[in-house]
Amino acid sequence: MHPMITKWRQDPVTGAFFIALLLALILFPYWWLADRWFRTIIFDDATRFTFTSTTFLLILAIVDCAFLVRYYQIRRKNDLAHSADLIRKGAENYRLLIEKAPFPIVITKLSDRTILEINNEAADLFSIIPYERIGKKVSERFITAMNQEKILEILSTKKQVSDFEVSFQKDNNEVVYASLSANIIDYLGEKAVFSAFVNISERVTLEKEILYREEKFSTVFHEVPNPLMILSDAGEIIEINKGCETFIGLSKDLLVNKKLEDFQFFPDIDKEFYCKAVHDSQAVETVIILPDNRRKFVTLYIRSISIHDAPHGLLLIQDIDEIKRTQNAISQANNQLSILNSITRHDILNRVMVVISYCELLGYKVKEDPESTWIRNIVKSGEDIQALIDFTRQYQDLGINPPKWQRVEEIMKKRNIASLLSDVSVSLPGEHIEVYADPMFEKVLYNLIDNSIRHGEKVTLISLSYVNHDPDLILRYTDNGVGISTEDKKKIFKKGFGKNTGLGLFLIREILHLTGIIISEEGIPGNGVRFDMIVPAGAFRTQHGT
C-alpha cells in the first residue's frame, strides 16, 4: 500500500483536506463557466461573485462531508472485520487450548448451566461423547443439584471455587472422585463458568485404605489383652490400651503424654533404650516394678512403626513371671539333682574301682580256668559300668539349658576339638551361618571327629559345608576314611551299637533332635562317611557384617 494512502487512513482529516483541494481544482472550470453564465443574468459584479463563490463552496462542503461519511463507514467496517477476525482467531486458539489441555475442562453458561465447551479429557472422565452434551445442561448425574447450587453460591461471592470435591458413578459402576476448580469468565461475549477437574480417585482410595488400616490397628490395639504402649521417638507415651491399664494398675490419664523413663517401671533398662528402640526393633527380658512395688518378670518387644510419617515405637509387655519362676524352680531342682547325681556317680565309680582293683589283684593269684576267665569278665563288666556312668554324666546335661545360636567355625576352634585335629586337615564352610541348637552341639562335632579318627583308619581330611535344601539347610560332615558298611548304616544311631560303648552316635542324635535337626549317614562304603544334618527352616540364619 502507498505510504501516502496509509497516512491518510491513519489521519482522515488530512486526507479529506487534500481530497477537498483536488475537488476544488476539478470544480474550478465549472465555477468559471457558471460565473460567465451568471454575468448574463446578474449584471452587478459584486453580487454575482458572491453568489457564485458561495454556491461553489457549499457544493464543495457537501461533497467533502459525503466523502468523509463514506470514508469513516468504510474504515469502521474494516475495523469491525479486523476485530471479528481477531475474535475468531482468539476463540479458535482458546478452543484448541481447552481441547489440548492435559486435564478435564468444561465451560458452561452462567445463566442456565448449558454446556458451551467440553474437552476430550473431561469426556473420558465422565465417559460421555462431547458433541452429544454441547448445548445441554450439566447432568446432575455427575454434579448433583445441591453441589451445583453450592458452586454457584461460592462463585457469586468469591468469584472462584478451589478444590471442591465431587463424586459420581460411571456406567460400569466405577466410583470416580474429582476435585473441581471454577472461575467466571467471558466466553464469546457472554458470562460463563470455566471448570477444571482433577481425578483424585487414587488418592481418595488410598486415604480410605489408610483410614481403614488405622481403624483396624486401633481396634486390635485396644482389644488385645497384652499390655501395649505407643512411644514417640523421644520416649514419650502417646497411647496405651486397656490391657496396659489393667496390668500396670494406673489409668490412661496418668500415663499418656509423659516419658516412660519417669515412672521407673524398668530399673534395669537404660534410659536411651526407649529412644533407640523406636528406630531399631528390639526384644529384651527384664523386671518391671509395678506401682504397688510388686516385681514381675516381663519380656519387652519394641517394634518401629510410622504414624503420620513420624517414627514411633510399639511396646508390647509380655508377662512371663509365672513361666520364669517355674523355670527358675525347675533349674534349681535340676541343679540339686545334678549335684546328687554327681555325688552318687562319684560314690558308684569309687566302689566299682575298688571291685576292679581287687579283681585285678585276685587275677594275679588265680591263673587257672574257669576262675581266671570269671575274674576277667568281672573286670570287663566293671569297666562297662564305668563307661555307662560316664555317659550318664554327659546325658544329664541334655536339654537342661535353652538352645542358642552357634557357628560351626567358632566351635571347631575350641581347644578340645582342635587337639583331635593335630594330624588332620579341616575344610570349614565359607558361609557365615548360625545354627539354633542345644549348647551340647559342640559335643556333636566332637564325637563325629572322634569317630572319624578312631574308626576311619586313614582319615587325613574332614570337611564341613552347607547345602541348600529349600526351605531347610543341610550341614554336611564328611571324611576320607573307610566309611560305614551298608548293613551298619541302619544300626549306628541305636544305643549300644559300636565297638566301644555304642553311645557316641546315639547321643549325637538325641542332642540334635532337641531342636528338630535330623541326622543320617549317606556316605559310600570305602569312600568315607557323609553325615547330613537337616536343619529345619527357622533354626538357621545368615549372620551379616562378619
PDB file of all heavy atoms in Angstrom, residues 344-369:
ATOM      1  N   THR A 344      26.422 -89.274  93.673  1.00  0.00           N
ATOM      2  CA  THR A 344      26.110 -90.705  93.554  1.00  0.00           C
ATOM      3  C   THR A 344      27.047 -91.383  92.564  1.00  0.00           C
ATOM      4  O   THR A 344      27.555 -92.489  92.814  1.00  0.00           O
ATOM      5  CB  THR A 344      24.647 -90.887  93.114  1.00  0.00           C
ATOM      6  OG1 THR A 344      23.788 -90.228  94.048  1.00  0.00           O
ATOM      7  CG2 THR A 344      24.282 -92.361  93.040  1.00  0.00           C
ATOM      8  N   ARG A 345      27.262 -90.735  91.394  1.00  0.00           N
ATOM      9  CA  ARG A 345      28.179 -91.284  90.395  1.00  0.00           C
ATOM     10  C   ARG A 345      29.574 -91.453  90.972  1.00  0.00           C
ATOM     11  O   ARG A 345      30.259 -92.458  90.738  1.00  0.00           O
ATOM     12  CB  ARG A 345      28.230 -90.377  89.163  1.00  0.00           C
ATOM     13  CG  ARG A 345      27.230 -90.702  88.097  1.00  0.00           C
ATOM     14  CD  ARG A 345      27.613 -90.058  86.775  1.00  0.00           C
ATOM     15  NE  ARG A 345      28.000 -88.669  86.924  1.00  0.00           N
ATOM     16  CZ  ARG A 345      27.145 -87.636  86.895  1.00  0.00           C
ATOM     17  NH1 ARG A 345      25.850 -87.875  86.742  1.00  0.00           N
ATOM     18  NH2 ARG A 345      27.564 -86.422  87.048  1.00  0.00           N
ATOM     19  N   HIS A 346      29.988 -90.439  91.715  1.00  0.00           N
ATOM     20  CA  HIS A 346      31.323 -90.483  92.298  1.00  0.00           C
ATOM     21  C   HIS A 346      31.453 -91.670  93.254  1.00  0.00           C
ATOM     22  O   HIS A 346      32.456 -92.423  93.213  1.00  0.00           O
ATOM     23  CB  HIS A 346      31.599 -89.172  93.033  1.00  0.00           C
ATOM     24  CG  HIS A 346      32.978 -89.090  93.621  1.00  0.00           C
ATOM     25  ND1 HIS A 346      34.113 -88.917  92.854  1.00  0.00           N
ATOM     26  CD2 HIS A 346      33.403 -89.174  94.915  1.00  0.00           C
ATOM     27  CE1 HIS A 346      35.175 -88.903  93.641  1.00  0.00           C
ATOM     28  NE2 HIS A 346      34.763 -89.052  94.901  1.00  0.00           N
ATOM     29  N   ASP A 347      30.417 -91.867  94.077  1.00  0.00           N
ATOM     30  CA  ASP A 347      30.460 -92.981  95.030  1.00  0.00           C
ATOM     31  C   ASP A 347      30.436 -94.318  94.287  1.00  0.00           C
ATOM     32  O   ASP A 347      31.171 -95.264  94.654  1.00  0.00           O
ATOM     33  CB  ASP A 347      29.267 -92.898  95.994  1.00  0.00           C
ATOM     34  CG  ASP A 347      29.404 -91.721  96.954  1.00  0.00           C
ATOM     35  OD1 ASP A 347      30.549 -91.211  97.078  1.00  0.00           O
ATOM     36  OD2 ASP A 347      28.394 -91.305  97.546  1.00  0.00           O
ATOM     37  N   ILE A 348      29.583 -94.437  93.234  1.00  0.00           N
ATOM     38  CA  ILE A 348      29.492 -95.686  92.485  1.00  0.00           C
ATOM     39  C   ILE A 348      30.819 -95.994  91.801  1.00  0.00           C
ATOM     40  O   ILE A 348      31.325 -97.131  91.832  1.00  0.00           O
ATOM     41  CB  ILE A 348      28.350 -95.625  91.454  1.00  0.00           C
ATOM     42  CG1 ILE A 348      26.989 -95.579  92.150  1.00  0.00           C
ATOM     43  CG2 ILE A 348      28.412 -96.812  90.494  1.00  0.00           C
ATOM     44  CD1 ILE A 348      25.821 -95.351  91.214  1.00  0.00           C
ATOM     45  N   LEU A 349      31.414 -94.959  91.175  1.00  0.00           N
ATOM     46  CA  LEU A 349      32.690 -95.174  90.481  1.00  0.00           C
ATOM     47  C   LEU A 349      33.794 -95.583  91.452  1.00  0.00           C
ATOM     48  O   LEU A 349      34.658 -96.415  91.115  1.00  0.00           O
ATOM     49  CB  LEU A 349      33.095 -93.902  89.715  1.00  0.00           C
ATOM     50  CG  LEU A 349      32.273 -93.584  88.458  1.00  0.00           C
ATOM     51  CD1 LEU A 349      32.672 -92.222  87.881  1.00  0.00           C
ATOM     52  CD2 LEU A 349      32.482 -94.664  87.391  1.00  0.00           C
ATOM     53  N   ASN A 350      33.761 -94.994  92.630  1.00  0.00           N
ATOM     54  CA  ASN A 350      34.764 -95.373  93.634  1.00  0.00           C
ATOM     55  C   ASN A 350      34.625 -96.846  94.007  1.00  0.00           C
ATOM     56  O   ASN A 350      35.630 -97.587  94.110  1.00  0.00           O
ATOM     57  CB  ASN A 350      34.618 -94.504  94.886  1.00  0.00           C
ATOM     58  CG  ASN A 350      35.170 -93.096  94.666  1.00  0.00           C
ATOM     59  OD1 ASN A 350      35.961 -92.887  93.733  1.00  0.00           O
ATOM     60  ND2 ASN A 350      34.777 -92.152  95.498  1.00  0.00           N
ATOM     61  N   ARG A 351      33.363 -97.279  94.176  1.00  0.00           N
ATOM     62  CA  ARG A 351      33.147 -98.669  94.571  1.00  0.00           C
ATOM     63  C   ARG A 351      33.449 -99.632  93.408  1.00  0.00           C
ATOM     64  O   ARG A 351      33.978-100.738  93.604  1.00  0.00           O
ATOM     65  CB  ARG A 351      31.711 -98.857  95.074  1.00  0.00           C
ATOM     66  CG  ARG A 351      31.557 -98.291  96.498  1.00  0.00           C
ATOM     67  CD  ARG A 351      30.116 -97.990  96.845  1.00  0.00           C
ATOM     68  NE  ARG A 351      30.005 -97.525  98.231  1.00  0.00           N
ATOM     69  CZ  ARG A 351      30.361 -96.325  98.666  1.00  0.00           C
ATOM     70  NH1 ARG A 351      30.900 -95.453  97.834  1.00  0.00           N
ATOM     71  NH2 ARG A 351      30.198 -95.974  99.935  1.00  0.00           N
ATOM     72  N   VAL A 352      33.126 -99.189  92.172  1.00  0.00           N
ATOM     73  CA  VAL A 352      33.455-100.020  91.010  1.00  0.00           C
ATOM     74  C   VAL A 352      34.964-100.126  90.861  1.00  0.00           C
ATOM     75  O   VAL A 352      35.501-101.187  90.532  1.00  0.00           O
ATOM     76  CB  VAL A 352      32.815 -99.438  89.727  1.00  0.00           C
ATOM     77  CG1 VAL A 352      33.361-100.146  88.484  1.00  0.00           C
ATOM     78  CG2 VAL A 352      31.300 -99.583  89.786  1.00  0.00           C
ATOM     79  N   MET A 353      35.657 -98.997  91.112  1.00  0.00           N
ATOM     80  CA  MET A 353      37.123 -99.021  91.047  1.00  0.00           C
ATOM     81  C   MET A 353      37.702 -99.997  92.068  1.00  0.00           C
ATOM     82  O   MET A 353      38.665-100.710  91.778  1.00  0.00           O
ATOM     83  CB  MET A 353      37.675 -97.610  91.294  1.00  0.00           C
ATOM     84  CG  MET A 353      39.190 -97.541  91.210  1.00  0.00           C
ATOM     85  SD  MET A 353      39.813 -97.949  89.548  1.00  0.00           S
ATOM     86  CE  MET A 353      39.225 -96.528  88.654  1.00  0.00           C
ATOM     87  N   VAL A 354      37.079-100.045  93.251  1.00  0.00           N
ATOM     88  CA  VAL A 354      37.534-100.988  94.284  1.00  0.00           C
ATOM     89  C   VAL A 354      37.343-102.428  93.809  1.00  0.00           C
ATOM     90  O   VAL A 354      38.231-103.285  93.938  1.00  0.00           O
ATOM     91  CB  VAL A 354      36.785-100.752  95.617  1.00  0.00           C
ATOM     92  CG1 VAL A 354      37.102-101.871  96.612  1.00  0.00           C
ATOM     93  CG2 VAL A 354      37.169 -99.403  96.203  1.00  0.00           C
ATOM     94  N   VAL A 355      36.144-102.684  93.202  1.00  0.00           N
ATOM     95  CA  VAL A 355      35.854-104.038  92.704  1.00  0.00           C
ATOM     96  C   VAL A 355      36.866-104.444  91.636  1.00  0.00           C
ATOM     97  O   VAL A 355      37.424-105.548  91.658  1.00  0.00           O
ATOM     98  CB  VAL A 355      34.412-104.116  92.152  1.00  0.00           C
ATOM     99  CG1 VAL A 355      34.188-105.448  91.447  1.00  0.00           C
ATOM    100  CG2 VAL A 355      33.404-103.934  93.286  1.00  0.00           C
ATOM    101  N   ILE A 356      37.122-103.512  90.679  1.00  0.00           N
ATOM    102  CA  ILE A 356      38.058-103.814  89.588  1.00  0.00           C
ATOM    103  C   ILE A 356      39.471-104.042  90.142  1.00  0.00           C
ATOM    104  O   ILE A 356      40.191-104.968  89.731  1.00  0.00           O
ATOM    105  CB  ILE A 356      38.048-102.671  88.543  1.00  0.00           C
ATOM    106  CG1 ILE A 356      36.699-102.621  87.816  1.00  0.00           C
ATOM    107  CG2 ILE A 356      39.170-102.841  87.516  1.00  0.00           C
ATOM    108  CD1 ILE A 356      36.548-101.432  86.888  1.00  0.00           C
ATOM    109  N   SER A 357      39.859-103.194  91.090  1.00  0.00           N
ATOM    110  CA  SER A 357      41.212-103.309  91.659  1.00  0.00           C
ATOM    111  C   SER A 357      41.396-104.650  92.354  1.00  0.00           C
ATOM    112  O   SER A 357      42.421-105.347  92.173  1.00  0.00           O
ATOM    113  CB  SER A 357      41.456-102.162  92.645  1.00  0.00           C
ATOM    114  OG  SER A 357      41.395-100.927  91.966  1.00  0.00           O
ATOM    115  N   TYR A 358      40.386-105.031  93.179  1.00  0.00           N
ATOM    116  CA  TYR A 358      40.506-106.313  93.874  1.00  0.00           C
ATOM    117  C   TYR A 358      40.465-107.483  92.906  1.00  0.00           C
ATOM    118  O   TYR A 358      41.151-108.510  93.101  1.00  0.00           O
ATOM    119  CB  TYR A 358      39.409-106.456  94.936  1.00  0.00           C
ATOM    120  CG  TYR A 358      39.753-105.776  96.243  1.00  0.00           C
ATOM    121  CD1 TYR A 358      39.076-104.644  96.661  1.00  0.00           C
ATOM    122  CD2 TYR A 358      40.780-106.276  97.066  1.00  0.00           C
ATOM    123  CE1 TYR A 358      39.394-104.005  97.849  1.00  0.00           C
ATOM    124  CE2 TYR A 358      41.110-105.641  98.260  1.00  0.00           C
ATOM    125  CZ  TYR A 358      40.414-104.517  98.647  1.00  0.00           C
ATOM    126  OH  TYR A 358      40.762-103.904  99.826  1.00  0.00           O
ATOM    127  N   CYS A 359      39.679-107.345  91.839  1.00  0.00           N
ATOM    128  CA  CYS A 359      39.631-108.411  90.831  1.00  0.00           C
ATOM    129  C   CYS A 359      40.982-108.564  90.126  1.00  0.00           C
ATOM    130  O   CYS A 359      41.435-109.683  89.837  1.00  0.00           O
ATOM    131  CB  CYS A 359      38.528-108.154  89.820  1.00  0.00           C
ATOM    132  SG  CYS A 359      36.877-108.484  90.454  1.00  0.00           S
ATOM    133  N   GLU A 360      41.619-107.417  89.835  1.00  0.00           N
ATOM    134  CA  GLU A 360      42.925-107.472  89.170  1.00  0.00           C
ATOM    135  C   GLU A 360      43.962-108.111  90.112  1.00  0.00           C
ATOM    136  O   GLU A 360      44.831-108.895  89.670  1.00  0.00           O
ATOM    137  CB  GLU A 360      43.348-106.062  88.750  1.00  0.00           C
ATOM    138  CG  GLU A 360      42.549-105.529  87.564  1.00  0.00           C
ATOM    139  CD  GLU A 360      42.957-104.116  87.205  1.00  0.00           C
ATOM    140  OE1 GLU A 360      43.654-103.458  88.028  1.00  0.00           O
ATOM    141  OE2 GLU A 360      42.564-103.648  86.114  1.00  0.00           O
ATOM    142  N   LEU A 361      43.898-107.760  91.425  1.00  0.00           N
ATOM    143  CA  LEU A 361      44.817-108.387  92.390  1.00  0.00           C
ATOM    144  C   LEU A 361      44.552-109.898  92.497  1.00  0.00           C
ATOM    145  O   LEU A 361      45.486-110.708  92.575  1.00  0.00           O
ATOM    146  CB  LEU A 361      44.652-107.730  93.762  1.00  0.00           C
ATOM    147  CG  LEU A 361      45.154-106.275  93.866  1.00  0.00           C
ATOM    148  CD1 LEU A 361      44.796-105.697  95.232  1.00  0.00           C
ATOM    149  CD2 LEU A 361      46.668-106.220  93.640  1.00  0.00           C
ATOM    150  N   LEU A 362      43.251-110.214  92.481  1.00  0.00           N
ATOM    151  CA  LEU A 362      42.875-111.611  92.551  1.00  0.00           C
ATOM    152  C   LEU A 362      43.343-112.377  91.311  1.00  0.00           C
ATOM    153  O   LEU A 362      43.702-113.561  91.386  1.00  0.00           O
ATOM    154  CB  LEU A 362      41.354-111.741  92.718  1.00  0.00           C
ATOM    155  CG  LEU A 362      40.791-113.141  93.032  1.00  0.00           C
ATOM    156  CD1 LEU A 362      41.400-113.673  94.348  1.00  0.00           C
ATOM    157  CD2 LEU A 362      39.276-113.097  93.149  1.00  0.00           C
ATOM    158  N   GLY A 363      43.389-111.657  90.160  1.00  0.00           N
ATOM    159  CA  GLY A 363      43.821-112.294  88.919  1.00  0.00           C
ATOM    160  C   GLY A 363      45.271-112.714  88.958  1.00  0.00           C
ATOM    161  O   GLY A 363      45.680-113.663  88.272  1.00  0.00           O
ATOM    162  N   TYR A 364      46.085-111.989  89.753  1.00  0.00           N
ATOM    163  CA  TYR A 364      47.491-112.379  89.883  1.00  0.00           C
ATOM    164  C   TYR A 364      47.642-113.700  90.649  1.00  0.00           C
ATOM    165  O   TYR A 364      48.616-114.449  90.463  1.00  0.00           O
ATOM    166  CB  TYR A 364      48.284-111.280  90.594  1.00  0.00           C
ATOM    167  CG  TYR A 364      48.421-110.021  89.761  1.00  0.00           C
ATOM    168  CD1 TYR A 364      47.932-108.805  90.224  1.00  0.00           C
ATOM    169  CD2 TYR A 364      49.057-110.061  88.526  1.00  0.00           C
ATOM    170  CE1 TYR A 364      48.057-107.652  89.474  1.00  0.00           C
ATOM    171  CE2 TYR A 364      49.189-108.906  87.766  1.00  0.00           C
ATOM    172  CZ  TYR A 364      48.684-107.706  88.232  1.00  0.00           C
ATOM    173  OH  TYR A 364      48.812-106.561  87.478  1.00  0.00           O
ATOM    174  N   LYS A 365      46.668-114.005  91.530  1.00  0.00           N
ATOM    175  CA  LYS A 365      46.743-115.218  92.345  1.00  0.00           C
ATOM    176  C   LYS A 365      46.117-116.416  91.631  1.00  0.00           C
ATOM    177  O   LYS A 365      46.581-117.549  91.786  1.00  0.00           O
ATOM    178  CB  LYS A 365      45.997-114.989  93.668  1.00  0.00           C
ATOM    179  CG  LYS A 365      46.600-113.903  94.541  1.00  0.00           C
ATOM    180  CD  LYS A 365      47.966-114.309  95.083  1.00  0.00           C
ATOM    181  CE  LYS A 365      48.502-113.280  96.055  1.00  0.00           C
ATOM    182  NZ  LYS A 365      49.852-113.693  96.562  1.00  0.00           N
ATOM    183  N   VAL A 366      45.034-116.131  90.879  1.00  0.00           N
ATOM    184  CA  VAL A 366      44.315-117.228  90.234  1.00  0.00           C
ATOM    185  C   VAL A 366      44.713-117.272  88.764  1.00  0.00           C
ATOM    186  O   VAL A 366      44.456-116.314  88.025  1.00  0.00           O
ATOM    187  CB  VAL A 366      42.787-117.053  90.355  1.00  0.00           C
ATOM    188  CG1 VAL A 366      42.059-118.195  89.655  1.00  0.00           C
ATOM    189  CG2 VAL A 366      42.388-116.957  91.830  1.00  0.00           C
ATOM    190  N   LYS A 367      45.336-118.352  88.344  1.00  0.00           N
ATOM    191  CA  LYS A 367      45.817-118.453  86.975  1.00  0.00           C
ATOM    192  C   LYS A 367      45.072-119.512  86.172  1.00  0.00           C
ATOM    193  O   LYS A 367      45.273-119.634  84.967  1.00  0.00           O
ATOM    194  CB  LYS A 367      47.314-118.803  86.979  1.00  0.00           C
ATOM    195  CG  LYS A 367      48.183-117.775  87.685  1.00  0.00           C
ATOM    196  CD  LYS A 367      48.185-116.439  86.952  1.00  0.00           C
ATOM    197  CE  LYS A 367      49.152-115.459  87.601  1.00  0.00           C
ATOM    198  NZ  LYS A 367      49.185-114.178  86.868  1.00  0.00           N
ATOM    199  N   GLU A 368      44.252-120.287  86.837  1.00  0.00           N
ATOM    200  CA  GLU A 368      43.602-121.392  86.156  1.00  0.00           C
ATOM    201  C   GLU A 368      42.154-121.060  85.819  1.00  0.00           C
ATOM    202  O   GLU A 368      41.483-120.317  86.532  1.00  0.00           O
ATOM    203  CB  GLU A 368      43.661-122.643  87.072  1.00  0.00           C
ATOM    204  CG  GLU A 368      45.068-123.099  87.398  1.00  0.00           C
ATOM    205  CD  GLU A 368      45.080-124.288  88.338  1.00  0.00           C
ATOM    206  OE1 GLU A 368      43.984-124.712  88.764  1.00  0.00           O
ATOM    207  OE2 GLU A 368      46.181-124.770  88.634  1.00  0.00           O
ATOM    208  N   ASP A 369      41.703-121.662  84.694  1.00  0.00           N
ATOM    209  CA  ASP A 369      40.293-121.523  84.296  1.00  0.00           C
ATOM    210  C   ASP A 369      39.463-122.566  85.047  1.00  0.00           C
ATOM    211  O   ASP A 369      40.001-123.620  85.444  1.00  0.00           O
ATOM    212  CB  ASP A 369      40.166-121.752  82.784  1.00  0.00           C
ATOM    213  CG  ASP A 369      40.683-120.567  82.000  1.00  0.00           C
ATOM    214  OD1 ASP A 369      40.605-119.420  82.550  1.00  0.00           O
ATOM    215  OD2 ASP A 369      41.150-120.750  80.864  1.00  0.00           O
TER     216      ASP A 369
END
